[in-house]
Amino acid sequence: MSSINPTPRDYNKARVLDVVLSHAPLTRNGLIELTGLSKATVSRAVEELRSDGFVVDGGVDAVVGRGRPSTYLDVPETAGHVVGVSFGAVTTGVLVTDLRGREVGHVIVPTVEHHDVPAAGRWLVDLIAQAGASARGPLRQVVAALPAHVRDGAEVFRPADPMRIFSGRDLHRTVEELIGAPVTFDSDANASLLQVLMDDESVHDAALFSLSSTLNFATCRNKELARGRTPAFGDIGSLSSGFGDRTLNGLLSTAGLVKFAREHGLDIERVEDLWPAPQDHRARAEMVEAFTTAVTTAVSIVAVTLDPESVYFVGRLGPLVDEVLPEVRERLGQTLPDGPRVTTVSQVLGLSVARGAVHACLGMTHDRLRDTLLKARSQGPRQGQAAPAF
């Protein structure tokens, strides 16, 4: 069987597929405008994609005045689904959507403490099955976000203390074998930043700090997430906070801040116990001063090295960031008068990070489907034969 290169017709079909997956529901006129292809070319590609199972007719576009209404083109639920997982030290959320990003189902549960990686993998896969019980079509991609550094989408480094058992590749290998679909791991900070980019299309260059069980960091340039070649990339938590001998992770993580607060006389069990504490409490004032210094230091580091337009803070320490932001902005204004915008982002615990993971899933799936469509031509026995469905 000879190899046949993709034809212009194949590339046109791939272009139409890209736009339908990204912008559906849309009319044929909208599809023509977004692809820049002729009406005949778009019509031919649509009919082929309809045969492949990736396009169906949706609703009807109402027309004012004379003219024929346009039928919307849509992506059927049977084309497949994806899964975003927020696997946190405290809460785990699983979100399942179809290839257009429409929710199929979700679950949010307390994270079970596991001492065995295979058991944890089975637990995650059971949650995915529960959330996707009504999903139709093949499972195309799973992205799981963890409070950790991740290399090559599979290897976990320096996770939050309660999740040390998951260091390495064993959890990824277990989940992928059980699920029978592509699985990618990523940091919770990367997933959170993806969600920010989806919610605000005006953001191009940004940095984000995830302040939860551990401190995680993400950054993007021209909307593309930055990923280092080694696990050291993004390990900003190991740097000095500017307050005594504390590192940034020692003050900008829940575990580190609780330890600091206890050492300074605050009798607390959880970091949330800090919110109702009296504002004039001396020990709390010391904790707030240390935290403010750490936040200011963290922003200063990324401002002078990465020059982002905006710096975001998310995670369980968000309420405390909101409290100290006015002071942080004042301090930054004295040293960085033209520095980035600094703000917090509210999140739904267990779900917002999963949404960001879903966005990553959809991007990977769209790229894979496009590549599969083009590779299908090289598997055909002769020029002119239609590429097989995928």
Side-chain angles (χ1 to χ4, degrees), residues 144-296:
L146 300 82
H149 296 266
V150 179
R151 183 172 64 180
D152 299 330
E155 192 169 5
V156 177
F157 293 89
R158 294 185 294 282
D161 286 340
M163 306 180 77
R164 292 292 181 187
I165 187 176
F166 302 126
S167 296
R169 293 179 177 267
D170 287 349
L171 181 62
H172 178 270
R173 189 178 301 113
T174 298
V175 173
E176 194 161 60
E177 289 175 354
L178 290 171
I179 208 73
V183 176
T184 299
F185 282 4
D186 207 344
S187 72
D188 55 359
N190 277 343
S192 293
L193 185 52
L194 278 176
Q195 182 62 40
V196 169
L197 295 175
M198 294 302 298
D199 289 341
D200 188 349
E201 294 185 356
S202 68
V203 177
H204 290 81
D205 305 329
L208 180 143
F209 293 95
S210 178
L211 278 55
S212 290
S213 302
T214 190
L215 171 63
N216 251 343
F217 172 75
T219 184
C220 67
R221 178 71 65 180
N222 294 326
K223 293 186 176 291
E224 291 292 326
L225 293 183
R227 300 182 184 277
R229 292 182 291 272
T230 71
F233 178 78
D235 190 19
I236 199 168
S238 62
L239 302 179
S240 172
S241 68
F243 190 92
D245 60 353
R246 302 282 173 164
T247 63
L248 287 173
N249 194 57
L251 289 173
L252 300 184
S253 68
T254 57
L257 194 60
V258 166
K259 179 181 179 181
F260 181 90
R262 289 173 180 168
E263 290 174 354
H264 285 74
L266 285 173
D267 184 18
I268 61 172
E269 294 295 326
R270 309 174 309 147
V271 73
E272 286 80 7
D273 296 333
L274 290 170
W275 313 157
Q279 299 297 309
D280 59 351
H281 192 291
R282 181 186 59 80
R284 187 181 190 280
E286 293 177 352
M287 181 275 299
V288 169
E289 171 60 25
F291 186 78
T292 303
T293 300
V295 171
T296 305

Side-chain angles (χ1 to χ4, degrees), residues 252 268 277 301 307 312:
L252 300 184
I268 61 172
I301 290 171
D307 192 28
Y312 298 95

Side-chain angles (χ1 to χ4, degrees), residues 83-88 90-96 105-112 114 119-134 139 142 175 178-179 350:
V83 179
V85 180
S86 171
F87 186 25
V90 176
T91 303
T92 295
V94 177
L95 175 64
V96 180
H106 75 267
V107 295
I108 302 174
V109 298
T111 300
V112 174
H114 291 285
R122 290 191 295 272
W123 180 76
L124 279 176
V125 171
D126 286 345
L127 287 180
I128 291 171
Q130 180 182 341
S134 62
L139 174 56
V142 177
V175 173
L178 290 171
I179 208 73

Side-chain angles (χ1 to χ4, degrees), residues 28-43:
R28 287 176 184 265
N29 287 338
L31 185 52
I32 291 169
E33 180 179 351
L34 289 172
T35 60
L37 301 173
S38 70
K39 180 178 179 180
T41 298
V42 166
S43 294

